[in-house]
Amino acid sequence: MTADQRPVLVFDINETLSDTGPLHGVFEELGLPGPLAQTWLSGVLREGFALAVHGESQPFAVLGEAVARSLFAVHAPDREVEEAVRHVREGMQRLPVHPDVAPGIATLAEAGFRIVALTNGSEATAEGLLERGGVRQHFEHVLSADDAPCWKPAPEAYAWASGVWGLPLERALMIAASPWDLHGAARAGMRTVWTDRHGAPWPGYARTPDLRVSGVRELAARLCGDAVGLRA
């Protein structure tokens, strides 16, 4: 696969590159069950998707704080609500990358792939994650849907991003852990890779991804070995 044949690699951030497992500990530090972290994160996504249906958008941080306040009205934390909201926000900003991310991204960069990030979260949070993970220098762009017309998986988000990286969506490969993201990207015209770290079943209602891998290290091995022939 020559350089001009390679797709632009577009990485989602939350759960794809970031390890959200430590958020369980953040909620436990508030005296709450750890699994409420997933309830909170799912709620934030729900609100963002609902706005996207109407062609509207709000920053992840705004929605995150609003959903946390609603959650804490039902599940009382062990401190003042605004302090607990701040604790969750700061916890998101401290998340690490998965262990396989740094070696995998380095291999892809050394092979000459263009690498960008596209997240529904904030640009600052994504930048911080990639800096902590030691991979920021390999990313040509770190893009946030805060600057797009609306969140992924609305097609406008992917179309806006393709204008920034300067290639049509058909020349891009969306890499994500969330089936909803990959379904939206496929509908927009992108090829897709599912990073399935847990051996979960693929939901039958979503478009089947072009490639399924266990993480970024396996993705690098597959693409650099040209094992799947993902050409533009």
Side-chain angles (χ1 to χ4, degrees):
M1 188 187 297
T2 64
D4 60 356
Q5 290 177 312
R6 293 184 180 121
V8 176
L9 305 183
V10 186
F11 284 90
D12 176 48
I13 292 290
N14 290 329
E15 298 185 284
T16 305
L17 298 182
S18 69
D19 181 359
T20 58
L23 281 178
H24 284 229
V26 169
F27 276 77
E28 289 170 352
E29 289 165 0
L30 297 173
L32 298 170
L36 277 180
Q38 191 59 46
T39 302
W40 170 76
L41 187 56
S42 297
V44 177
L45 293 174
R46 178 197 64 218
E47 298 302 312
F49 297 163
L51 288 171
V53 168
H54 301 287
E56 300 175 9
S57 180
Q58 285 289 329
F60 187 99
V62 171
L63 298 180
E65 291 181 5
V67 171
R69 292 186 187 103
S70 295
L71 191 63
F72 295 152
V74 178
H75 305 276
D78 62 3
R79 63 199 72 184
E80 293 293 329
V81 166
E82 290 308 309
E83 183 182 349
V85 169
R86 184 169 58 252
H87 186 72
V88 172
R89 182 178 66 244
E90 292 172 352
M92 276 293 290
Q93 295 169 346
R94 295 193 304 267
L95 292 178
V97 297
H98 292 287
D100 71 306
V101 167
I105 293 293
T107 298
L108 291 166
E110 289 166 7
F113 282 95
R114 292 179 63 190
I115 304 172
V116 303
L118 177 59
T119 179
N120 281 340
S122 76
E123 180 181 341
T125 299
E127 291 272 7
L129 175 83
L130 298 176
E131 289 284 357
R132 290 192 302 278
V135 296
R136 175 60 185 89
Q137 70 275 18
H138 300 308
F139 282 77
E140 185 177 326
H141 299 286
V142 178
L143 305 176
S144 168
D146 285 353
D147 299 315
C150 48
W151 280 23
K152 301 179 294 176
E156 294 87 348
Y158 306 101
W160 165 79
S162 73
V164 177
W165 66 60
L167 282 176
L169 291 171
E170 293 77 11
R171 293 285 305 277
L173 188 63
M174 186 74 218
I175 302 146
S178 300
W180 56 260
D181 196 351
L182 300 177
H183 181 74
R187 285 180 55 85
M190 301 174 73
R191 286 163 294 168
T192 59
V193 176
W194 187 26
T195 55
D196 173 25
R197 298 179 181 277
H198 307 294
W202 178 258
Y205 54 79
R207 293 195 181 187
T208 304
D210 295 284
L211 180 63
R212 178 173 179 165
V213 296
S214 61
V216 181
R217 188 192 294 270
E218 183 183 348
L219 173 66
R222 299 288 296 274
L223 292 186
C224 293
D226 197 19
V228 291
L230 286 167
R231 291 178 168 80

